[in-house]
Amino acid sequence: MFNSPSVIVGLEIGTSKICAVVGEVNESDELNITGIGQCRSRGVRKGEIVDSGRAEEDIRVAIAEAEQMADVEIRSVYLGVTGSHIASLVNRGVHPVVSADREISNDDVEDAIKNAKAVRLPADNEILHATRHHFMVDGQEGIVDPVGMLGSRVEIDMHVIHGNINRLQNPIRSVKNLQLEVDSVVFNGLAAALSVLTPEQRRMGALVIDIGGGVTNYIVYGGGAIKHAGVLAVGGDHLTNDLAYGLKVPLKRAEQLKVDYGAALVTDSIRGQTVTTVAELGLPSKTINLEHLQHIMSLRVEEMFQLIEQEIAAAGLLNYLSAGVVLCGGASRVPRIQEAAERVFQLPVTLGRANSISGIKSALDQPEFATAIGLVRFGSFQEKRKPRATSLGSVIKETFFSFRDRKSVV
């Protein structure tokens, strides 16, 4: 029913492309990418399926291409999900130590964790991931294991990523209609971070921004744990839309102009320069001011980063980002986008690439494959914890993780 135990498949259903990545875990527990399949996405808008028929056709093409390259038969996938409905929160669990000698027991710790898991979510929302931070004992932070310590109160924070059940079911149903099983559902922002961040960066603190075609996923790590995550309903396609509107050209032509001349900041060398588009298919030629083109793009990119920066600052997390900002996703290829991000965040910004993974070099070096490769890495963590039971929670309708008994996997 399932792939070979050593074969793991990540499936990203994106706004611009459908991508399936096949990986294998060798005897040394090292992850090796063996196959990639992709197809232009037609039935997805802002990271969510709007035309299931077309989306399923595209998924089938991507899966078939990945099967052929890796020479395997794919039966199950780790499915990446996103959408503006996905959000995160931190819930604190507190437990008073009532023993006479004030020594903290395993039961005290379990009760604190249980209290942290009592999360109030919006109606129709379900938990995707729940990871716990370090413990606190009488206000002392950073406690890894409080059992045996003396104290009157044990506390722990639980970070929860959640989303709307019905909207998460749509991609699952499309995958299952193709006679594929869903091993787990994974937030795309988490997958991207697992791909591009090293353990040291996660410990130091870093912000990963995954800029896709229709949405931008972001996630903050600090002290090795997830501190915040979210989705911004703006992506590379919005740059194209802005150009089409501002330059008064069709979308197809705006996309080509973006690719050929676009930049996230106005380049001094192009000031005063113009380019004339070729007349075709009944469309007249048009002279485009390149400075105006890049100015339009720079405004949208700046706004996108400012919205994320404001949310991270409101959460009090900017001081956690000692390792800076890491960009990935297809739109992170826009020239000078790292400089634009540095201006907003006032932090070092790098372009993310998959780390500690071997295999197809062309994919590992391309930021647009970060999420799909991260889904495979997430799957490799899960495979190490087999047999799958309730260690990460049971699955609603064999698909969604419930909150019961879930432990951190990142």
Side-chain angles (χ1 to χ4, degrees):
M1 177 179 178
F2 296 100
N3 309 326
S4 166
S6 62
V7 175
I8 304 161
V9 182
L11 176 63
E12 179 191 6
I13 305 176
T15 305
S16 300
K17 73 177 186 309
I18 309 293
C19 184
V21 172
V22 181
E24 292 183 351
V25 178
N26 61 25
E27 295 178 354
S28 303
D29 282 339
E30 296 174 336
L31 185 59
N32 181 50
I33 301 301
T34 59
I36 294 176
Q38 55 181 324
C39 180
R40 187 176 69 85
S41 181
R42 299 172 297 166
V44 182
R45 184 171 180 270
K46 294 187 178 181
E48 300 185 70
I49 292 176
V50 295
D51 186 333
S52 58
R54 285 190 170 184
E56 288 169 20
E57 291 176 9
D58 298 338
I59 293 169
R60 184 183 288 108
V61 171
I63 291 290
E65 186 177 310
E67 286 181 325
Q68 184 176 11
M69 181 180 290
D71 193 24
V72 298
E73 182 180 1
I74 295 174
R75 297 292 184 86
S76 63
V77 300
Y78 285 87
L79 177 62
V81 293
T82 186
S84 58
H85 61 98
I86 293 179
S88 74
L89 57 85
V90 176
N91 192 54
R92 175 164 295 185
V94 181
H95 177 72
V97 180
V98 297
S99 60
D101 57 4
R102 297 294 187 183
E103 181 175 332
I104 300 170
S105 66
N106 279 311
D107 289 341
D108 294 321
V109 171
E110 290 302 318
D111 285 340
I113 294 173
K114 186 183 300 182
N115 293 336
K117 289 178 177 179
V119 181
R120 289 180 176 272
L121 295 178
D124 297 326
N125 272 35
E126 175 63 27
I127 291 170
L128 282 169
H129 307 285
T131 57
R132 64 194 191 199
H133 298 174
H134 287 159
F135 292 90
M136 289 166 280
V137 176
D138 291 349
Q140 180 184 353
E141 300 182 350
I143 305 297
V144 177
D145 183 3
V147 175
M149 295 180 63
L150 300 181
S152 60
R153 186 178 63 183
V154 181
E155 301 174 73
I156 186 169
D157 286 337
M158 189 76 69
H159 183 271
V160 174
I161 300 175
H162 59 94
N164 182 275
I165 287 180
N166 295 324
R167 292 167 72 173
L168 290 170
Q169 283 283 7
N170 291 322
I172 293 165
R173 179 168 294 185
S174 292
V175 170
K176 290 196 169 186
N177 284 344
L178 299 175
Q179 307 305 310
L180 296 171
E181 294 298 321
V182 176
D183 291 323
S184 293
V185 181
V186 187
F187 171 50
N188 282 348
L190 171 59
L194 292 177
S195 174
V196 302
L197 290 185
T198 64
E200 179 66 11
Q201 286 174 309
R202 293 199 293 268
R203 185 191 66 77
M204 291 176 60
L207 166 63
V208 176
I209 304 177
D210 174 24
I211 314 170
V215 297
T216 295
N217 306 298
Y218 53 94
I219 191 165
V220 176
Y221 269 88
I226 300 172
K227 297 292 186 181
H228 188 70
V231 179
L232 188 66
V234 177
D237 289 351
H238 293 79
L239 297 176
T240 304
N241 292 336
D242 288 351
L243 291 178
Y245 180 81
L247 302 177
K248 295 179 174 56
V249 296
L251 279 172
K252 185 176 180 180
R253 184 168 288 180
E255 176 67 23
Q256 193 59 51
L257 288 168
K258 181 182 76 173
V259 172
D260 292 342
Y261 306 104
L265 293 172
V266 177
T267 306
D268 290 336
S269 61
I270 60 91
R271 295 186 187 277
Q273 291 189 23
T274 61
V275 62
T276 301
T277 62
V278 178
E280 58 180 346
L281 299 177
L283 298 174
S285 61
K286 187 176 179 66
T287 299
I288 304 297
N289 184 300
L290 296 185
E291 183 178 351
H292 184 210
L293 182 153
Q294 293 186 354
H295 181 65
I296 292 171
M297 291 183 63
S298 68
L299 291 176
R300 174 65 79 172
V301 171
E302 181 182 33
E303 178 192 39
M304 177 184 67
F305 287 142
Q306 284 177 343
L307 289 171
I308 296 174
E309 191 272 344
Q310 288 167 9
E311 184 167 334
I312 302 303
L317 296 172
L318 284 179
N319 291 333
Y320 280 94
L321 308 181
S322 299
V325 180
V326 181
L327 304 180
C328 60
S332 67
R333 284 182 172 274
V334 173
R336 302 193 70 187
I337 196 167
Q338 292 173 242
E339 295 175 62
E342 287 174 351
R343 289 190 179 187
V344 173
F345 292 101
Q346 296 296 301
L347 291 166
V349 178
T350 57
L351 190 63
R353 303 188 187 280
N355 67 82
S356 302
I357 300 174
S358 61
I360 303 171
K361 184 67 174 174
S362 60
L364 299 178
D365 285 341
Q366 297 185 44
E368 56 263 42
F369 290 121
T371 296
I373 292 173
L375 292 171
V376 178
R377 171 164 275 176
F378 180 95
S380 72
F381 294 155
Q382 302 293 79
E383 297 298 319
K384 292 176 184 178
R385 289 164 171 78
K386 279 187 173 180
R388 283 193 298 268
T390 57
S391 60
L392 292 173
S394 56
V395 178
I396 296 177
K397 295 181 180 178
E398 299 183 353
T399 305
F400 285 114
F401 289 131
S402 75
F403 196 37
R404 185 175 58 251
D405 301 324
R406 175 170 296 137
K407 295 183 175 63
S408 172
V409 296
V410 293

